[in-house]
Amino acid sequence: RKEVEQDPGPFNVPEGATVAFNCTYSNSASQSFFWYRQDCRKEPKLLMSVYSSGNEDGRFTAQLNRASQYISLLIRDSKLSDSATYLCVVSPSTGGSYIPTFGRGTSLIVHP
Amino acid sequence: GAGVSQSPSNKVTEKGKDVELRCDPISGHTALYWYRQRLGQGLEFLIYFQGNSAPDKSGLPSDRFSAERTGESVSTLTIQRTQQEDSAVYLCASSFLTGANVLTFGAGSRLTVL
């Protein structure tokens, strides 16, 4: 089983739609979770951290389910500019290796 | 600097040649990472530096790959006797070493081996 797994998509949605991505991870000791966004031929950039209680940033909501070892990202009222690849990132616990593991990403295409 | 700087941004080389890629991290970031991203693929961890500790080289794919970092400054990734399968974007990232461990990436070095 891969350490971090994501559905590669693409998710093809119209403007204004709500879309959700899930990501599963295998290391139950993981402590830090993030969503990064990567535009075509660009470097990944942090979209948001994921907290145990769930967190929201404008149209974006991230949630963590430790029992089932998955995190999710919900995008409401999709914009054309949301088209990108969304990378799930998991970091191990402190005191060990600080090497974040990236999922392969989920591609989102928002069309008019 | 304000961000992570990588050079060259593009490199085309012939099979068998050596290449050197450079990364200048954000000032004050103690951790530095190299990742590789092949076309249409995810990020593949290569090597991790933390301060003056021994680097974690567990991701280096072969002994043709090596990297150095002087203190908490510039890092150089060297690929010897390049092969066509080395063609990829090589991404460098740096971070403060905290539990949050948020990485800031450079724009990458795109390597093409002919």
Side-chain angles (χ1 to χ4, degrees):
Chain A
R1 179 182 175 186
K2 292 183 182 177
E3 290 188 56
V4 179
E5 292 202 61
Q6 297 182 250
D7 180 346
F11 285 64
N12 206 318
V13 303
E15 274 186 290
T18 295
V19 61
F21 311 135
N22 281 342
C23 163
T24 59
Y25 60 95
S26 60
N27 185 352
S28 59
S30 298
Q31 291 293 324
S32 303
F33 308 89
F34 310 90
W35 284 100
Y36 280 68
R37 168 189 170 133
Q38 186 172 27
D39 292 292
C40 187
R41 300 177 74 86
K42 298 287 189 181
E43 73 274 21
K45 293 183 178 178
L46 178 69
L47 177 65
M48 59 196 302
S49 301
V50 185
Y51 303 122
S52 297
S53 56
N55 50 297
E56 188 173 307
D57 183 1
R59 299 182 292 107
F60 299 83
T61 300
Q63 292 192 315
L64 168 64
N65 185 318
R66 286 189 184 273
S68 300
Q69 293 183 206
Y70 77 82
I71 67 174
S72 64
L73 178 67
L74 180 79
I75 305 175
R76 291 181 298 278
D77 188 23
S78 299
K79 311 292 185 189
L80 295 177
S81 57
D82 294 334
S83 298
T85 297
Y86 291 84
L87 306 175
C88 170
V89 184
V90 175
S91 277
S93 56
T94 55
S97 170
Y98 289 92
I99 301 169
T101 300
F102 285 73
R104 284 190 56 178
T106 298
S107 175
L108 171 66
I109 301 170
V110 182
H111 59 80
Chain B
V4 178
S5 179
Q6 291 189 245
S7 62
S9 55
N10 276 285
K11 176 72 176 180
V12 180
T13 191
E14 293 179 348
K15 179 181 172 181
K17 300 284 189 183
D18 297 352
V19 296
E20 201 170 87
L21 308 176
R22 175 188 168 107
C23 173
D24 198 345
I26 291 173
S27 179
H29 278 191
T30 56
L32 186 147
Y33 307 78
W34 283 97
Y35 286 85
R36 176 170 72 177
Q37 188 172 34
R38 291 190 168 115
L39 187 64
Q41 303 296 311
L43 272 70
E44 177 187 359
F45 167 72
L46 296 177
I47 188 168
Y48 158 67
F49 294 91
Q50 165 48 32
N52 293 317
S53 302
D56 183 334
K57 305 179 182 180
S58 59
L60 294 179
S62 78
D63 59 8
R64 295 186 296 105
F65 288 72
S66 62
E68 293 182 346
R69 187 185 187 194
T70 305
E72 295 182 356
S73 61
V74 171
S75 175
T76 302
L77 176 69
T78 301
I79 309 173
Q80 295 179 308
R81 305 182 301 282
T82 51
Q83 303 295 312
Q84 288 184 330
E85 65 261 27
D86 299 335
S87 296
V89 176
Y90 290 82
L91 290 160
C92 175
S94 68
S95 76
F96 291 110
L97 191 63
T98 67
N101 198 23
V102 173
L103 270 60
T104 301
F105 283 87
S109 291
R110 183 175 301 276
L111 175 65
T112 303
V113 182
L114 301 177

